[in-house]
Amino acid sequence: MKKWAKAFLFCSVIATVVIVVTFSVLSYLNPQTNKYFVEGDDNISEMDFESELESLDMMENTWQTAVPQTDIYKLIKNHFEGELPSGKKEKKAIVIGYDGCRVDTFRLLENSKKSGIKTLLSHNGHAEFSYCGGVNYPEENIQDTSTAPGWCSMLTGVWANTINVTGNGQPKELEPKTLLLSLVEDNIIDSSAFYVSWAGHFTRKSSTYINELNYITENNINSVFLRAKTDIGTVDNVLADLGKEDCSDFIFLTLEYTDHNGHASGFSLQNPKYVNGFRNSDAMGADIIDSIISRPTYSQEDWLILITTDHGGIKLNHGGSSIEERITFIVSNKDFQ
């Protein structure tokens, strides 16, 4: 084969690979295009962020009195350690995490076609402003408003200055243990499960929970850590678990749509792709809640259902100290205690 032919063939192969990879990445960053869009999603009025927060009348507190995201830990712990209500035989809990979901997305709920948040709120649920970063805005945050510190603070109940996870790519020490491990090891529950698609949680050497996963494996702890390739795969794994007669007692999952779309094109309600990311995550949240309610044993189970986020975002990033990154939310099917 002549040199020019080899060069042409090589360039063609490279071009094909680039096109395929680009298409795959863009498809993932803008999943299920327009599937859940409603009229007006592409023309949302722009407001300053504090005004947006004050317009959310479904919240039971103000952003100035936001609760720490570490309260998630307390809510779950109190739920499992509390007495069973009359007629119930078993306690269950699930945390549905929308990674990188700004709280101003709640402006979209009124016209949602399918929404996990709206489902909880319409069935006597409750919503509160929370905060990440270790302290509430405008005080200077003590940890990055990033994925690892956010979820880790919820699962351990303490901030970065205690667990030494100040950013992504930092494996936490075994202690303090997350609820996924401690609740099972202390015989408070029989089983737990952690469902994700982001590799930074536990599938890399530098992943946040790699030490905990190794401990669980070595000691035959009944806790499943399972990573899918996409959010759709994550939800499939969750639904498969919920479809079992004796599903995991505590399930923690994260969906990446809002975070991926924010990094790709902007954390903003004026960005249709970010709005689409929220619509998809929240629709999947509704599917998960419907699956819980449809369980044959649901009437005998005492479920705590929480929807929350690890951080917000601004422009194409997060990790900093702005109010857009730091004010988050907690939605619950039960009263906050």
Side-chain angles (χ1 to χ4, degrees):
M1 186 180 290
K2 295 182 178 180
K3 289 184 177 180
W4 67 265
K6 289 182 179 180
F8 177 80
L9 180 60
F10 177 78
C11 291
S12 298
V13 171
I14 294 297
T16 301
V17 170
V18 170
I19 290 171
V20 170
V21 171
T22 301
F23 178 79
S24 299
V25 171
L26 290 177
S27 296
Y28 184 54
L29 294 179
N30 188 25
Q32 303 175 25
T33 306
N34 296 330
K35 184 173 181 180
Y36 299 104
F37 262 41
V38 296
E39 186 176 349
D41 270 358
D42 57 350
N43 189 30
I44 299 165
S45 61
E46 190 168 5
M47 303 168 61
D48 70 85
F49 195 71
E50 290 188 26
S51 296
E52 287 188 300
L53 299 184
E54 290 168 6
S55 73
L56 303 179
D57 57 8
M58 74 285 289
M59 310 305 281
E60 297 184 0
N61 59 350
T62 65
W63 70 263
Q64 293 93 339
T65 59
V67 299
Q69 63 183 178
T70 49
D71 274 10
I72 292 282
Y73 179 93
K74 296 176 184 177
L75 290 170
I76 298 165
K77 194 93 156 123
N78 291 342
H79 171 70
F80 281 116
E81 293 180 346
E83 293 185 6
L84 273 170
S86 177
K88 303 292 184 179
K89 296 182 179 179
E90 189 173 17
K91 286 182 176 288
K92 303 276 188 183
I94 187 169
V95 175
I96 305 171
Y98 301 167
D99 199 296
C101 184
R102 285 178 30 154
V103 69
D104 58 343
T105 54
F106 279 41
R107 292 178 60 196
L108 304 170
L109 294 178
E110 183 178 356
N111 295 323
S112 291
K113 296 176 182 177
K114 190 177 183 182
S115 164
I117 294 172
K118 195 171 180 178
T119 297
L120 289 187
L121 293 179
S122 63
H123 289 81
N124 300 314
H126 304 270
E128 283 189 334
F129 287 113
S130 54
Y131 63 82
C132 59
V135 292
N136 198 8
Y137 183 85
E139 290 186 59
E140 189 65 29
N141 48 314
I142 61 172
Q143 70 183 40
D144 283 0
T145 50
S146 297
T147 296
W151 298 128
C152 206
S153 292
M154 297 180 214
L155 283 167
T156 61
V158 292
W159 298 110
N161 55 354
T162 299
I163 53 178
N164 241 1
V165 177
T166 57
N168 297 337
Q170 299 173 329
K172 70 174 282 294
E173 297 297 326
L174 186 60
E175 298 289 348
K177 296 171 182 175
T178 71
L179 288 170
L180 291 158
L181 171 55
S182 64
L183 287 173
V184 180
E185 193 171 44
D186 295 343
N187 295 314
I188 297 172
I189 62 175
D190 295 326
S191 58
S192 67
F194 192 9
Y195 297 116
V196 305
S197 63
W198 185 54
H201 287 302
F202 50 76
T203 56
R204 298 172 180 160
K205 289 183 179 179
S206 61
S207 294
T208 312
Y209 307 100
I210 190 64
N211 293 325
E212 186 148 304
L213 175 57
N214 290 338
Y215 179 89
I216 285 169
T217 303
E218 292 165 3
N219 292 276
N220 296 314
I221 305 295
N222 195 11
S223 181
V224 173
F225 282 40
L226 187 59
R227 181 194 170 209
K229 291 182 179 180
T230 65
D231 282 356
I232 293 174
T234 296
V235 173
D236 285 344
N237 288 333
V238 174
L239 296 181
D241 191 335
L242 292 171
K244 298 175 183 176
E245 182 177 351
D246 187 21
C247 71
S248 298
D249 295 326
F250 174 44
I251 298 172
F252 195 96
L253 69 117
T254 65
L255 300 174
E256 303 297 327
Y257 282 144
T258 39
D259 193 64
H260 280 305
N261 287 14
H263 283 301
S265 51
F267 291 83
S268 170
L269 295 191
Q270 278 64 58
N271 173 17
K273 291 184 178 180
Y274 186 72
V275 171
N276 195 30
F278 169 72
R279 290 287 192 206
N280 282 293
S281 290
D282 204 24
M284 288 184 166
D287 287 338
I288 292 168
I289 295 169
D290 288 344
S291 180
I292 292 171
I293 295 172
S294 298
R295 286 176 53 77
T297 52
Y298 177 71
S299 63
Q300 302 170 31
E301 297 167 343
D302 180 26
W303 275 92
L304 172 66
I305 303 173
L306 301 173
I307 300 178
T308 190
T309 186
D310 49 346
H311 55 75
I314 187 169
K315 297 182 180 178
L316 296 175
N317 291 302
H318 56 78
S321 59
S322 71
I323 188 172
E324 290 88 350
E325 296 163 280
R326 292 171 63 187
I327 300 298
T328 53
F329 61 85
I330 304 171
V331 183
S332 172
N333 68 323
K334 290 177 173 284
D335 288 334
F336 296 112
Q337 298 176 354

